[in-house]
Amino acid sequence: MSVSAVGFDLDYTLAVPTRDRETILSEAASATGAPPLSREAYLREHQENLTRETREPIFESLLDNHDSPVDPEHVATAYRERITDAVVPAEGVEPMLVGLRTTYRVGLLTNGPVVAQEAKLDKLGWRDYFDAALVTGALPAGKPDERAFDALLDALGTTAEETVYVGDSVHHDIAGAHDAGLRPVQVLGEGCDDPDPRAIAHIQRESLPTELPELLADL
């Protein structure tokens, strides 16, 4: 079956941070008087809070582990502001998205709390780049749960067999899309996982704007 739609992950696929996220987390904690917080602990809590409105529950749990009296909302806000300020488009992806929409339905499915991920979209100015843009904070489940990918298919009005999904994370994007019946394409590069055989193709992030349209046309 030919491809009629393509969905994308956001972070480290279409957008990248200009500064290391561990440093940003350390700065947010310091600015709010919170104790040092590890990136590994943050990521564990993030995975447990993919269907939230904000990051406040993530930092509430982290601060409880340190018996800290600091308001988790303040830390969540400080972290969100710094992350949003640091996010920029991966080179060449904006004209790629515009071009793809002339042929395909184009969607976004990104893990994370609603306020945090929508702040990134607003900063990037990408609201009009997608036929459907879904944040798992507003869904019953996050990636790699099949329900997240089903929500994307419903929003795009396409079937799994005719939809390609592009992402960098083996666990969230490649395995999740594969198990949901979509055709996964893995983005490689700094901050990304090693190539996974479940992907139908592997593309370096800097080559995505040229190689992905060619790949889609050949499917």
Side-chain angles (χ1 to χ4, degrees), residues 108-141:
L108 181 78
L109 176 63
T110 177
N111 267 354
V114 174
V115 173
Q117 297 305 88
E118 290 194 347
K120 294 175 187 175
L121 289 176
D122 287 337
K123 193 256 185 169
L124 293 164
W126 285 1
R127 292 287 184 175
D128 296 329
Y129 279 27
F130 304 100
D131 296 292
L134 305 183
V135 178
T136 63
L139 300 178

Side-chain angles (χ1 to χ4, degrees), residues 164-178:
V164 165
Y165 188 77
V166 184
D168 68 286
S169 169
V170 167
H171 176 65
H172 297 112
D173 302 319
I174 305 309
H178 174 272

Side-chain angles (χ1 to χ4, degrees), residues 167-168 170 174 184-188 193-196 199 201-204:
D168 68 286
V170 167
I174 305 309
V185 171
Q186 186 178 356
V187 173
L188 306 175
D193 293 333
D194 292 333
D196 187 89
H202 306 90
I203 302 177
Q204 292 290 328

Side-chain angles (χ1 to χ4, degrees), residues 6-16 90-91 93 96 143 164-175 183-196 198-209 211-212 215:
V6 55
F8 291 92
D9 169 53
L10 179 61
D11 295 294
Y12 295 99
T13 297
L14 295 177
V16 293
E91 186 174 355
V93 300
M96 176 193 71
K143 298 179 293 183
V164 165
Y165 188 77
V166 184
D168 68 286
S169 169
V170 167
H171 176 65
H172 297 112
D173 302 319
I174 305 309
R183 306 192 214 182
V185 171
Q186 186 178 356
V187 173
L188 306 175
E190 185 178 357
C192 299
D193 293 333
D194 292 333
D196 187 89
R198 286 168 291 188
I200 63 168
H202 306 90
I203 302 177
Q204 292 290 328
R205 188 189 297 120
E206 63 267 21
S207 301
L208 194 65
E211 292 189 17
L212 182 63
L215 172 66

Side-chain angles (χ1 to χ4, degrees), residues 38 94 104 191 219:
S38 79
E94 292 174 317
Y104 309 98
L219 293 176

Side-chain angles (χ1 to χ4, degrees), residues 7-97:
F8 291 92
D9 169 53
L10 179 61
D11 295 294
Y12 295 99
T13 297
L14 295 177
V16 293
T18 58
R19 297 196 297 130
D20 178 76
R21 290 194 175 191
E22 187 169 0
T23 299
I24 294 174
L25 179 60
S26 176
E27 290 176 354
S30 177
T32 55
L37 303 173
S38 79
R39 175 70 174 161
E40 292 76 13
Y42 171 85
L43 290 175
R44 288 195 297 270
E45 291 298 331
H46 184 274
Q47 180 61 33
E48 296 299 318
N49 290 276
L50 296 178
T51 58
R52 301 286 191 165
E53 180 72 18
T54 74
R55 289 192 180 98
E56 185 176 345
I58 297 173
F59 286 102
E60 182 177 6
S61 180
L62 292 174
L63 293 170
D64 282 348
N65 291 337
H66 288 273
D67 197 25
S68 171
V70 173
D71 188 340
E73 182 181 0
H74 292 165
V75 188
T77 298
Y79 184 69
R80 185 188 72 245
E81 290 174 347
R82 287 164 172 78
I83 286 288
T84 302
D85 183 64
V87 71
V88 296
E91 186 174 355
V93 300
E94 292 174 317
M96 176 193 71
L97 292 171

